[in-house]
Amino acid sequence: MTGIGGGVELGAQAARSRALAVLRVRSRALAVALLPAAVAVILLAGGSTGHLVGGGWDAARWAVSVLALLVLAATAAVALVVARARPAVTPTVAVAEESAPDLYRMVRDLADRLDVPAPSAIALTPDCDSWLEDRTHPAHGPPPARDHDDLSDPVGPDRRRSAAAPVLVIGSPFLWWMRVGELRAVLAPVVAGTGPAAHPDIAAARRFIRGLDAAVAATSTDGRGPLARAARGGIGGVSRLLLRGCRVHAAEMERGVAAAAAERAQAVDYGLRIVAQEQVGLAYAGWDRLLTRVALPAWRMGRWPSRLDVGVVAALTELSRRDRLAEGFASRLGERPACDLLEEPGLMDEAVSLLAARLFHGGPAETGPDWAPVGWEEYPEEVVDRAWRTDAARLHRVLDTLGVRRAAEGAAPGTDGPTLSRVLDHLTTTPAEAPVPARDPAVDADPDATPDPDATPGTAHHATPGTGTATPDDQATSDPQAATASDPQAATAPDAQAATTPDPQPFTTPDDQPADAPAAPGSADHSDDGNGTEDDDDDLAGTTPRGAALAAGLSAQLAREEARAQALASGTAPPPPGTTTGPAATGTALWDDRALPLLPLQPPRTGREILTAHITAMVCCAAMDTAGATPGLDWLDGPTLLVDGARRADLALHVRSLVETGDPAPLRAWLSDLGVRPEKPVRLV
């Protein structure tokens, strides 16, 4: 671990000293466990030599010997669990050397320049980050094949496993957005970390900490009986105690390793690293926007975009076109992209896209009838149009449940289908009606308090999301089973997999869309109480009683569909671990996929957001069927409505006016301006 400059030595020495402190915690724990055995040996030796004789000494020898055996058995059990517990491994897509020889060559050349061991393998992750990951635990399979560029030790397989270099995990958006030189500069400090990882003390300390962490996770599940639960609780308690003792030293050790690696990497492409870090932040923003605004609507419809990394390039290019702060970024596109280092970037992008859908949404591990890939050219028809018509169909099913008339009295024949007028007429507030008031804090504090007799009529029983109860004005019930019973389509709707997954959070730019523009149905504003949570009742406090009841019915319907989809998913056996997708396996055998999604994108949508999304979808369907509008895809904002090829971003304000005040005039004026005929039935799924 000799380095370039005193900074490397300083950081490396600090990391080594902290690693030794971690190992001392392990040694002290072992010493405490062996102390009863040492006392028992002394007592037994004293009795055999005739020095410690008598009834009291005999009783002490028996008691201490039994205690020593119990402590040794418990220590062996803890050591066995720590040694055999499988450390957590990040789900990734493995990159074989034959599928990316140029990438491996670049990484090895970088390791040679930094005078550190080359990583043992390369993997891709659907995230904007890069790191080194140790996968030398026996549960992770045999160590990768080694060559002359890696560390080698002819002593034996155990020693080779302990000395194996970690795996280099690269964020896939970096490969598609960054140029080759930028990727090299970004990976330099990461690859430099293989040097400290090869040090015996640091490697031993990391293995000990990972083992304790895995032991805590392994013992967190309930045992099959009281004895098993007690054993798991004891082993888990000891592991947590040791982890608390190592916490500070482990954090300082990793900080020292990072400082040493960063200092060593200063000699490689230092000037380019500054520019590359700007691209890291830009790639992260574009990737987050693409997932939440574009990929999430497709995942809800049972489709997964198969070229997410290509999409992030398109999104960032569009951002550079809109945002004058990013004017210089598009000029980089003439240089060689880092994805050229892969032999088949399309197949690799497909594998990463499927893994992203699994991690962020919880989709299946394999393609099936209800989980099919979709290309960007098919996205408007296969995702946007279908999503809008599915939401519109759900909206009318809930209106049927609430007993809302299909057509007004005296309407012309043939107008009793699913029309936009039906929605507008139902949500229109009459002078006798008033919006739902905000909840009284005094009533919340005292549930038994008597309501104010002077309160506005019809507001004491307003619906709350998920309850399925309607206002007295609707004169109908919204029993959870009523929607399915009244409409057979509810049981077989194509959106059976649609969930109450939250809507994407917008990412704003200086020249992006206006604040009142809805990029896609359901993209209502997210306001919270400062803690990231929002009460649904307070969310509907500014809506009308009929709007609150309709939002409650939609929330209940979505909950039923989500429960049905989860039941169907649990009834099918998942694919076996290690299923190969595309050119490489995603490593499903190395991580627990029983609780998906592992990284959910957003919290659940509120009732107001669900109601706004469905009304917007109904408006878009009417515009497509009666005014010649078409569904479209905006790379930064997701699904969008196109009228004469131009994007209309002024719909949200008018829908919000209808939801909050029950005034349809602004929306009707907007519809009249586009030539939309709300009285005409629309086509639903």
Side-chain angles (χ1 to χ4, degrees), residues 558-584:
L558 279 170
R560 289 193 294 271
E561 293 173 2
E562 170 66 10
R564 188 161 53 245
Q566 290 180 352
L568 292 174
S570 62
T572 57
T579 301
T580 300
T581 303

Side-chain angles (χ1 to χ4, degrees), residues 172-546:
S172 63
F174 294 165
L175 280 173
W176 269 260
W177 175 245
M178 289 185 173
R179 309 300 98 179
V180 173
E182 294 170 348
L183 180 66
R184 177 186 177 91
V186 167
L187 294 181
V190 182
V191 174
T194 60
H199 191 274
D201 294 336
I202 296 177
R206 285 177 167 176
R207 284 196 302 272
F208 177 60
I209 294 170
R210 284 196 303 270
L212 291 176
D213 183 71
V216 170
T219 57
S220 61
T221 57
D222 293 334
R224 296 182 178 178
L227 184 60
R229 284 195 294 269
R232 287 176 177 270
I235 296 174
V238 173
S239 301
R240 292 186 184 91
L241 180 63
L242 293 176
L243 272 178
R244 284 194 293 270
C246 299
R247 181 184 304 166
V248 176
H249 299 303
E252 293 298 327
M253 177 185 69
E254 297 300 337
R255 191 173 289 112
V257 168
E263 186 68 22
R264 183 183 291 270
Q266 295 249 351
V268 178
D269 301 332
Y270 177 73
L272 190 57
R273 282 173 57 195
I274 300 176
V275 179
Q277 288 302 322
E278 298 179 359
Q279 304 305 319
V280 170
L282 190 66
Y284 182 85
W287 181 249
D288 179 73
R289 184 73 172 244
L290 184 77
L291 291 181
T292 56
R293 304 292 284 185
V294 178
L296 188 57
W299 293 338
R300 290 176 183 165
M301 300 306 300
R303 307 297 297 270
W304 54 278
S306 58
R307 295 291 186 270
L308 281 179
D309 291 305
V310 172
V312 78
V313 175
L316 291 174
T317 304
E318 177 66 15
L319 175 63
S320 65
R321 185 186 66 83
R322 295 186 190 180
D323 188 358
R324 59 178 175 270
L325 298 178
E327 288 178 355
F329 296 148
S331 61
R332 306 164 39 260
L333 301 181
E335 304 174 13
R336 185 190 182 195
C339 63
D340 280 357
L341 300 174
L342 304 174
E343 289 293 309
E344 297 184 61
L347 292 179
M348 198 65 65
D349 191 3
E350 184 175 352
V352 173
S353 299
L354 182 57
L355 179 59
R358 188 154 174 77
L359 295 180
F360 298 123
H361 185 67
E366 283 187 333
T367 297
D370 298 326
W371 189 245
V374 59
W376 294 125
E377 65 281 355
E378 305 166 346
Y379 186 94
E381 290 295 330
E382 295 291 333
V383 176
V384 181
D385 181 84
R386 184 180 169 207
W388 286 345
R389 298 189 187 278
T390 297
D391 286 352
R394 186 184 298 110
L395 177 62
H396 282 278
R397 286 199 301 271
V398 174
L399 289 175
D400 291 339
T401 304
L402 296 177
V404 180
R405 285 177 173 271
R406 281 270 177 171
E409 294 183 1
T415 60
D416 58 345
T419 64
L420 178 59
S421 294
R422 182 193 190 197
V423 180
L424 298 179
D425 294 341
H426 175 68
L427 292 177
T428 299
T429 301
T430 63
E433 296 174 329
V436 176
R439 298 174 64 183
D440 187 356
V443 175
D444 290 340
D446 184 7
D448 298 328
T450 303
D452 185 2
D454 297 329
T456 304
T459 60
H461 305 285
H462 71 272
T464 56
T467 62
T469 58
T471 63
D473 298 327
D474 294 305
Q475 299 294 325
T477 179
S478 56
D479 182 85
Q481 304 300 328
T484 305
S486 62
D487 189 351
Q489 272 189 334
T492 59
D495 61 333
Q497 292 191 4
T500 53
T501 312
D503 224 69
Q505 193 82 324
F507 166 74
T508 58
T509 59
D511 291 336
D512 210 345
Q513 63 177 8
D516 59 335
S523 55
D525 295 336
H526 294 259
S527 58
D528 55 55
D529 56 5
N531 297 321
T533 60
E534 183 179 32
D535 189 88
D536 286 340
D537 293 337
D538 294 337
D539 174 69
L540 293 171
T543 62
T544 63
R546 291 187 176 185

Side-chain angles (χ1 to χ4, degrees), residues 381 385 388-389 619-632 640-646 648 670 674-676 683:
E381 290 295 330
D385 181 84
W388 286 345
R389 298 189 187 278
V619 172
C620 292
C621 290
M624 290 188 296
D625 290 350
T626 66
T630 57
T640 186
L641 183 67
L642 302 179
V643 178
D644 295 329
R648 294 303 298 255
W670 187 88
L674 264 65
V676 179
R683 178 175 59 87

Side-chain angles (χ1 to χ4, degrees), residues 657-677:
S657 175
L658 176 65
V659 170
E660 295 178 354
T661 67
D663 181 12
L667 182 56
R668 287 188 182 275
W670 187 88
L671 295 172
S672 176
D673 181 61
L674 264 65
V676 179
R677 302 184 62 182

